[in-house]
Amino acid sequence: MNETLWSERQKSTWKTKLGLAEMLKGGVIMDVTNVEQAQIAAEAGAQAVMALERVPADIRAQGGVARMSDPGMIAAIQKAVSIPVMAKCRIGHFVEAQILEALGVDFVDESEVLTPADNSFHVDKHKFRVPFVCGCRDLGEALRRIGEGAALIRTKGEAGTGDIVEAVQHLRSVRDGIRRLTNLPGEELMSEAKSIGAPYDLVVEVSLTGRLPVPNFSAGGVATPADAALMMQLGAEAVFVGSGVFKSSDPVKRARAIVDAVAHYQDPERLVQLSHNLGDPMSGIATEQLENEQKLAGRGW
Amino acid sequence: MQRVGIVAFQGDVDKHGAMLTAIGAEPVEVRTQRELTIVDRLIIPGGESTTIGMLMEREGLLAAVRHRLNEGMPVFGTCAGMILLADKIIESSQPRVGGLRITVERNGYGRQLESFETALPVPELAAAPISAVFIRAPIVRALGAGVRALARFEDVAVLVRQDHLLAASFHPELTRSTEVHRYFLSL
């Protein structure tokens, strides 16, 4: 056992939290708002579902405060499918997180898609037995969330837009940050930790291993099979699809096509076949037309 | 060097790969029938059994693996892989390879909050207990003819062997214990 690595010093629950994140690699996690959609997702081959009342595109369109979903709706979905069920709590809202843990969800997403409950602090995720996934835009943000106890990281992208550009930027940014750390000499790591706002021990670990200590998935803007395969080729280990499936004209077909695209992301001929005749994707919003305050990805401290 | 295929649609494929490399075997990712033809043995990893089973079915890999298995190719399944090898899955008709005469119940140890880690004695394989991580693990409810339990946790079989088939309800690939993978290579 290598005690110099932060991951190796964590308690046994860390291994079981991280273990589920490892099991979720290489697949698609779909946002669903009811039992029927959850079943469509499971039958398409989704490896987990995210239960929420409104997909991000609707949260964006309708405005207002977006909160944790009704536990009754989440429980109905838990009953309807055998795959893992995730649910979202607001940033910093540790009581919503406690409720989701008591409900027995398999993963809690402390998500910028909901309206933040705390403008300065995130949930102390080490205190929970349920594993957490958190969003990030760069390596510093990823390591702050891992330092707080997140067992899975997803780059944020810009949820509810159907525009992949921010997802690409955030994933590239994390990977660039990792590559940079692996090239820095040891004496520069403390200053680097200070400059990116990350825990020093995690900076040391990444500089030694060349990878995050938890899996890194991609989210925010995937609308087509090609988008999903793009994120996998860029190095994402799995893909979250939010509004992209159920805001399209043929969710059954598109859900399966996106699952198949992630399974065969390196095979362009296969991507040709499965991209045929899927109907219309979600119409979407170009993120360059969004004002900064309209972007959800800026939430997170 | 032995070429060991890993069904590579979904799950902790890379963890099995790292384990195989560490013990001197060559991991080969298997997503197509053609890729299956070049391997000497096969691992079905942990992940979501419905997802992996569906994607194998879409590729014709369920039938292809069943055929190789009947010809004597050793196959090892962990967690989801154990479910996919099981002849009987309680309350499920999901696509599977089958062939291993056991009955399993999916998520039999509970949801994620019931996932756990333990030191597991496996006397035939290792002098000291090996570390075992159970994640939303299936529980073995019955063993059929010719199936032997190599390890038990709380009196329930968690590592079973039937001729050239090996299955674990836990994840040796998530730990530093190489004994189970070494044993599989010896089958």
Side-chain angles (χ1 to χ4, degrees):
Chain A
M1 184 163 294
N2 186 347
E3 294 283 338
T4 62
L5 297 184
W6 179 87
S7 301
E8 298 297 343
R9 295 198 301 272
Q10 302 309 301
K11 300 253 184 269
S12 63
T13 56
W14 175 251
K15 287 243 193 294
T16 59
K17 288 175 177 177
L18 187 57
L20 182 58
E22 297 286 351
M23 295 312 136
L24 293 172
K25 284 197 293 203
V28 181
I29 300 152
M30 289 184 200
D31 279 5
V32 297
T33 60
N34 56 45
V35 166
E36 189 199 353
Q37 289 184 355
Q39 283 163 341
I40 289 173
E43 278 158 28
Q47 33 120 330
V49 292
M50 176 76 70
L52 75 178
E53 269 165 353
R54 295 183 287 171
V55 293
D58 288 334
I59 292 175
R60 206 175 262 294
Q62 294 162 9
V65 177
R67 309 179 177 89
M68 178 187 78
S69 299
D70 183 328
M73 168 266 188
I74 298 169
I77 288 173
Q78 285 176 308
K79 222 175 152 183
V81 296
S82 62
I83 57 181
V85 176
M86 305 186 176
K88 292 183 192 287
C89 75
R90 285 179 265 177
I91 288 174
H93 205 315
F94 51 85
V95 174
E96 283 187 350
Q98 290 165 5
I99 292 170
L100 293 174
E101 179 175 82
L103 193 58
V105 303
D106 296 295
F107 243 101
V108 174
D109 183 2
E110 186 185 18
S111 177
E112 71 283 359
V113 167
L114 304 184
T115 311
D118 191 317
N119 280 329
S120 304
F121 304 106
H122 284 252
V123 172
D124 178 1
K125 294 166 273 288
H126 289 294
K127 283 187 179 164
F128 288 79
R129 290 185 300 137
V130 66
F132 279 74
V133 52
C134 287
C136 73
R137 287 162 299 171
D138 52 40
L139 181 63
E141 195 173 7
L143 296 182
R144 287 195 294 282
R145 297 295 86 79
I146 297 166
E148 291 161 356
L152 175 61
I153 286 296
R154 55 174 175 76
T155 45
K156 289 178 183 171
E158 193 51 40
T161 61
D163 186 349
I164 199 68
V165 64
E166 302 277 311
V168 169
Q169 188 193 322
H170 298 160
L171 186 56
R172 283 198 183 278
S173 169
V174 169
R175 296 181 66 82
D176 286 349
I178 293 172
R179 272 190 292 271
R180 178 178 156 74
L181 279 189
T182 58
N183 285 318
L184 289 181
E187 67 271 21
E188 294 188 15
L189 293 178
M190 183 58 86
S191 290
E192 180 71 4
K194 182 182 171 193
S195 106
I196 66 174
Y200 173 72
D201 285 2
L202 284 170
V203 167
V204 171
E205 174 162 336
V206 172
S207 80
L208 290 173
T209 62
R211 48 165 301 145
L212 291 180
V214 306
N216 183 10
F217 294 2
S218 169
V222 171
T224 67
D227 290 344
L230 173 67
M231 299 319 296
M232 294 296 288
Q233 288 200 25
L234 283 171
E237 295 179 284
V239 175
F240 284 87
V241 183
S243 318
V245 170
F246 291 102
K247 285 290 163 188
S248 71
S249 65
D250 189 345
V252 173
K253 234 175 163 177
R254 186 164 296 263
R256 176 167 165 173
I258 291 176
V259 168
D260 287 345
V262 169
H264 299 281
Y265 69 95
Q266 290 165 312
D267 183 347
E269 284 172 20
R270 186 61 67 88
L271 295 175
V272 171
Q273 292 165 17
L274 57 86
S275 299
H276 268 297
N277 301 321
L278 297 180
D280 297 327
M282 67 180 287
S283 63
I285 310 165
T287 51
E288 59 183 20
Q289 290 163 5
L290 292 176
E291 302 293 337
N292 267 344
E293 59 268 26
Q294 292 176 293
K295 289 190 179 176
L296 306 175
R299 298 166 169 177
W301 342 113
Chain B
M1 190 186 276
Q2 294 204 53
R3 277 188 171 165
V4 183
I6 308 169
V7 176
F9 296 115
Q10 196 271 319
D12 66 339
V13 178
D14 57 335
K15 296 288 169 190
H16 279 287
M19 184 67 87
L20 290 169
T21 305
I23 61 175
E26 181 191 354
V28 178
E29 295 191 353
V30 172
R31 294 185 185 84
T32 61
Q33 294 189 40
R34 200 173 54 80
E35 286 162 341
L36 181 66
T37 61
I38 62 167
V39 303
D40 307 312
R41 44 188 81 223
L42 185 73
I43 291 176
I44 308 178
E48 275 310 304
S49 63
T50 48
T51 300
I52 298 171
M54 263 182 239
L55 288 163
M56 287 179 76
E57 186 173 46
R58 288 172 198 173
E59 282 312 300
L61 266 176
L62 288 180
V65 169
R66 218 174 280 134
H67 182 75
R68 288 289 308 272
L69 186 153
N70 289 334
E71 285 181 341
M73 175 179 68
V75 184
F76 175 29
T78 61
C79 194
M82 173 189 253
I83 296 170
L84 289 166
L85 287 174
D87 269 347
K88 286 187 190 149
I89 309 170
I90 290 174
E91 284 181 19
S92 173
S93 56
Q94 66 191 83
R96 84 204 55 176
V97 176
L100 179 61
R101 292 184 289 274
I102 61 172
T103 301
V104 298
E105 181 181 351
R106 291 185 60 194
N107 305 332
Y109 288 94
R111 294 179 179 279
Q112 174 60 15
L113 289 177
E114 278 72 54
S115 292
F116 62 99
E117 192 181 357
T118 188
L120 186 72
V122 194
E124 276 186 59
L125 275 58
I130 65 169
S131 66
V133 185
F134 292 74
I135 308 288
R136 286 170 47 92
I139 196 163
V140 176
R141 291 296 184 196
L143 299 183
V147 184
R148 204 156 56 85
L150 296 169
R152 290 177 184 273
F153 175 74
E154 295 179 345
D155 293 331
V156 176
V158 293
L159 178 65
V160 299
R161 177 181 169 187
Q162 169 193 311
D163 303 323
H164 53 289
L165 297 182
L166 186 67
S169 48
F170 59 96
H171 296 281
E173 75 278 11
L174 291 182
T175 71
R176 289 188 160 69
S177 299
T178 57
E179 290 87 349
V180 184
H181 284 77
R182 287 181 196 280
Y183 182 74
F184 173 58
L185 293 188
S186 75
L187 294 189

